[in-house]
Amino acid sequence: EDVAPVAVDEVRSWRPVLGGGALILALVGIAYRFRRSMLSRWQVWLERRRESEGAYFAKVLEAAGEEGPRVTLGALMRWLDRINEGPQAARLDRFLARYGDEQLRRMAAPVFAAQDSWGDVSSSELVAGLRTARGRWRRSRKHEAVLPGLPALNPSGLRESS
């Protein structure tokens, strides 16, 4: 029997394919080996994303655009609860007084009253006002983070013995 010799060029043309296949196989093996830790990290990342301030605010924008003032009020209060850091309860009127303007406070009247319809208020203008107020809130937080107060030098009040 005559066996045709394999050309060197044919073998070389398969090298990249075999190398790529080996690389994919190695990556699959590594992924299988670390699947539990990768899955738990993925779940933590998803949970953090779901519970982020941005996700809560996106729900506010969605409610304001598609739902009525009652649903928007609920979403706003959940967002305010999420961002509230003080000992006092989160309140929409306080937030609007600090970060909103007069026009936003006027547009929020149907939300305060938990009405069924927006009336003469444009929900798109309300959304724009809420975005602006959120931007002011975020800038104030950055400013507070840059200029923190000094911690107490001896918070426990104990004197050091020499």
Side-chain angles (χ1 to χ4, degrees):
E1 292 179 32
D2 288 331
V3 176
V6 176
V8 175
D9 289 339
E10 289 180 23
V11 173
R12 286 186 184 153
S13 69
W14 280 95
R15 283 185 182 165
V17 173
L18 291 175
L23 179 64
I24 290 172
L25 189 60
L27 291 174
V28 167
I30 291 170
Y32 181 77
R33 167 72 174 89
F34 295 106
R35 70 188 180 279
R36 288 188 184 104
S37 74
M38 287 175 23
L39 181 63
S40 69
R41 287 179 187 224
W42 174 258
Q43 289 170 338
V44 166
W45 179 81
L46 282 177
E47 185 64 23
R48 283 185 182 163
R49 188 171 177 197
R50 271 192 297 266
E51 291 299 316
S52 71
E53 177 271 334
Y56 277 77
F57 191 74
K59 291 175 186 173
V60 170
L61 299 181
E62 182 181 332
E66 298 176 8
E67 305 289 339
R70 282 187 193 180
V71 177
T72 303
L73 178 62
L76 268 168
M77 292 313 298
R78 284 188 291 280
W79 175 67
L80 287 174
D81 284 339
R82 174 68 179 85
I83 67 171
N84 186 30
E85 295 176 343
Q88 297 176 335
R91 289 186 36 189
L92 182 56
D93 60 339
R94 285 187 194 147
F95 179 82
L96 293 178
R98 185 166 181 187
Y99 302 108
D101 55 11
E102 184 58 40
Q103 182 181 6
L104 178 59
R105 287 189 287 276
R106 182 189 56 76
M107 287 187 297
V111 175
F112 280 120
Q115 296 173 351
D116 291 328
S117 69
W118 290 107
D120 62 343
V121 173
S122 167
S123 63
S124 61
E125 289 179 11
L126 177 70
V127 165
L130 288 172
R131 285 180 195 244
T132 302
R134 177 181 180 235
R136 289 183 188 128
W137 169 76
R138 291 181 75 174
R139 281 190 298 280
S140 75
R141 287 185 41 105
K142 286 181 183 177
H143 181 70
E144 290 170 5
V146 171
L147 301 172
L150 289 175
L153 295 176
N154 189 0
S156 64
L158 301 176
R159 296 178 192 234
E160 291 184 24
S161 57
S162 351

